[in-house]
């Protein structure tokens, strides 16, 4: 079973920030938080990942709480093309298998004009 | 650089037949994983190959098998197809090493069993 809990759906107005929450209360000290998204009928796309510090890249920001039991993915200026299912995944850190991702049901984000 | 390439993109098969799907990873990636996606079960991990060896396996029956070649290309095979095998099959490749990294997915093969 997935180790994360996400709301099934969210709406966001175009141009506004989209804040997608994820609960991972059983996360272990050596597990990272990863975010992927899947636009309809395409393969999932990597967005960002982090361990305990906040992270930012050209796509999004990841805010992880100090106790690491939850995180928020922030899309600063959502566009219609950001409409997708967003998956929050926790996985073991360095070395070993990188390919075994356990996907939950994700959050379906709908960006509206 | 070229992304993960899966062939064919679409496939229609009859119950009882077998099917082989192909995945070419990103150049330099030695890990290849396969996933099945259905509306009911979502994205489920099938298996992972690294250096021609199966390293992890999900909870699927033995009808689902795979292999990886020396050039890291991978194939998965499903024998004795059932209607419930209709799904989008996704392949992902990733680098190996000390640094934690991400998986890159292909566009998938949509299999329809009739």
């Amino acid at each position: 079973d997935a180790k994360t809990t996400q709301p099934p759906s969210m709406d966001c107005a175009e141009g506004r920030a989209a804040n997608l929450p994820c609960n991972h209360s059983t996360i272990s000290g050596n597990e990272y938080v990863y975010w992927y998204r899947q636009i309809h009928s395409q393969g999932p796309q990597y967005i960002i990942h982090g361990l305990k510090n906040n992270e930012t890249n050209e796509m999004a920001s990841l805010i992880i709480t100090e106790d690491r039991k939850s995180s928020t993915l922030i899309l600063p200026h959502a566009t219609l093309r950001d409409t997708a299912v967003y998956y929050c995944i926790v996985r073991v850190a360095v070395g070993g298998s990188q390919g075994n991702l356990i996907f939950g049901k994700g959050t379906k984000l709908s960006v509206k004009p | 650089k070229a992304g993960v390439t899966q062939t064919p993109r679409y496939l229609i098969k009859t119950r009882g037949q077998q099917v082989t799907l192909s995945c070419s990873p990103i150049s330099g990636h030695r890990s290849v994983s396969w996933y099945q996606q259905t509306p009911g079960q979502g994205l489920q991990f099938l298996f992972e190959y690294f250096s021609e060896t199966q390293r992890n396996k999900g909870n699927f029956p033995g009808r689902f098998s795979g292999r990886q070649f020396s050039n890291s290309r991978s194939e998965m095979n499903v024998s004795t197809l059932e209607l419930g095998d209709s799904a989008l099959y996704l392949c992902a490749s990733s680098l190996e090493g000390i640094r934690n990294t991400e998986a890159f997915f292909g566009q998938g093969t949509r299999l329809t069993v009739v």
Side-chain angles (χ1 to χ4, degrees):
Chain A
D1 290 341
K3 300 182 185 179
T4 62
T5 304
Q6 299 176 253
S9 64
M10 291 182 63
D11 289 342
C12 177
E14 188 178 19
R16 297 294 190 116
N19 296 283
L20 292 93
C22 179
N23 184 293
H24 30 80
S25 58
T26 61
I27 192 169
S28 301
N30 64 345
E31 289 183 315
Y32 280 68
V33 179
Y34 274 77
W35 284 83
Y36 284 79
R37 73 179 182 183
Q38 186 175 25
I39 296 170
H40 183 62
S41 295
Q42 296 183 21
Q45 176 190 23
Y46 165 81
I47 301 173
I48 198 168
H49 73 278
L51 183 62
K52 54 183 178 181
N53 297 319
N54 298 338
E55 301 287 345
T56 296
N57 63 20
E58 64 279 3
M59 287 183 68
S61 295
L62 173 60
I63 309 297
I64 303 174
T65 58
E66 195 167 338
D67 63 7
R68 303 211 321 124
K69 293 186 176 183
S70 66
S71 61
T72 301
L73 177 75
I74 301 172
L75 307 179
H77 306 287
T79 71
L80 299 179
R81 287 175 294 182
D82 291 322
T83 292
V85 178
Y86 287 76
Y87 297 98
C88 170
I89 300 166
V90 297
R91 61 174 306 160
V92 176
V94 299
S97 171
Q98 301 286 340
N100 182 358
L101 296 170
I102 306 300
F103 288 85
K105 297 191 182 301
T107 295
K108 181 171 173 51
L109 175 69
S110 298
V111 180
K112 299 182 184 299
Chain B
K1 56 182 177 183
V4 178
T5 303
Q6 290 188 246
T7 56
R9 290 293 310 279
Y10 302 92
L11 205 50
I12 300 176
K13 289 287 189 178
T14 305
R15 269 183 304 175
Q17 287 186 312
Q18 73 162 8
V19 67
T20 299
L21 311 181
S22 179
C23 172
S24 294
I26 291 172
S27 177
H29 288 194
R30 292 193 295 163
S31 171
V32 175
S33 299
W34 289 89
Y35 295 80
Q36 181 196 64
Q37 186 170 30
T38 60
Q41 298 298 317
L43 266 160
Q44 293 187 288
F45 171 74
L46 278 157
F47 29 66
E48 180 197 10
Y49 286 86
F50 177 73
S51 291
E52 303 178 64
T53 301
Q54 188 180 88
R55 187 159 62 177
N56 281 297
K57 189 176 189 303
N59 189 24
F60 278 81
R63 299 185 298 108
F64 292 82
S65 63
R67 60 178 176 168
Q68 187 179 33
F69 302 95
S70 59
N71 62 357
S72 294
R73 190 177 71 84
S74 177
E75 290 182 346
M76 69 162 281
N77 184 277
V78 187
S79 62
T80 320
L81 284 165
E82 301 176 0
L83 295 178
D85 297 333
S86 293
L88 180 66
Y89 289 88
L90 291 157
C91 164
S93 76
S94 48
L95 278 169
E96 289 294 309
I98 297 173
R99 188 173 154 272
N100 205 308
T101 185
E102 67 267 32
F104 295 84
F105 284 81
Q107 295 287 70
T109 294
R110 184 163 297 280
L111 172 65
T112 303
V113 182
V114 298

